[in-house]
Amino acid sequence: MTQEFYLLKLRPPSGCSPSPWSSIASCIPSLIAIWQRLPKAQQPRLVWAGQGEALIAPPARLEPTTSQLWDLALIVQYPQDLREPGNTRVEILGQFVDEFHTEIENTPTDFHTKAASGNLGSTDVPRSHSLPGYDRIEKMYQQSPKPGTPVHMINLLHFAPNTGKQHYKQYLEACAPALGAFGAKIAYHGNILANDHVQGGKQWDSLLIGAYPDKLALIHGVIHPSYLEAFMMREKALADTMLLATIPVDLTSYDALVHAKL
């Protein structure tokens, strides 16, 4: 099994005819319809999907392929190695959408949720915080609070040489109590196996998707004193990063669509 991570920028329809690739609501069903033309044993499977909500931290080395607000993020699992001759990867997305994609390998990570000390019950949104990217998080909340709606934070990671990966592991261990106290979990953690598909030559080492119950939980988690202390380890661990806030797509209805057409 092979998995790939996609960031998609949907294109507006050309002419008078609507395009299934110009809206999130129609894009995923269109992909499923294409995959179902393949024999069942060769059909890809949608593992995770998120609708782009806000670019919280663009990469330091700005490139068009990873510095914009993407419309849709996908993790797709393929039934065989993409690098093998005769693989079944469907070369369809690039014809209709602007895309960034790279091959990944799921590496589950424990995220212990021992509660941190401090006031966990406040519903106030702090202002003018010094945490990098906090102004974008606050703006995202103020424009569309969506209480009770989960938010998934995509972290594309490029580790600092030599000790970066180990320092990032220490960061995850140190920040878990603060973020876990507000219900945060790791939705996906994977190593990036190949960058040969990446437009612009951007090199990433790892993908982590953090899941929060809603935007307010995200805000309170990242300003907690325990997290701010751990954040220094994150800065030390990374040579570059990109953070994209997304609203996760409920795949239940799409699973039903797949089974209905099998």
Side-chain angles (χ1 to χ4, degrees), residues 113-126:
T113 56
K114 180 181 178 182
S117 60
N119 180 13
L120 306 184
S122 172
T123 58
D124 296 332
V125 179

Side-chain angles (χ1 to χ4, degrees), residues 163-175 230 233:
T163 60
K165 189 171 184 179
Q166 181 61 31
H167 283 146
Y168 193 81
K169 181 179 179 181
Q170 294 171 354
Y171 153 76
L172 288 179
E173 293 171 350
C175 74
M233 299 181 193

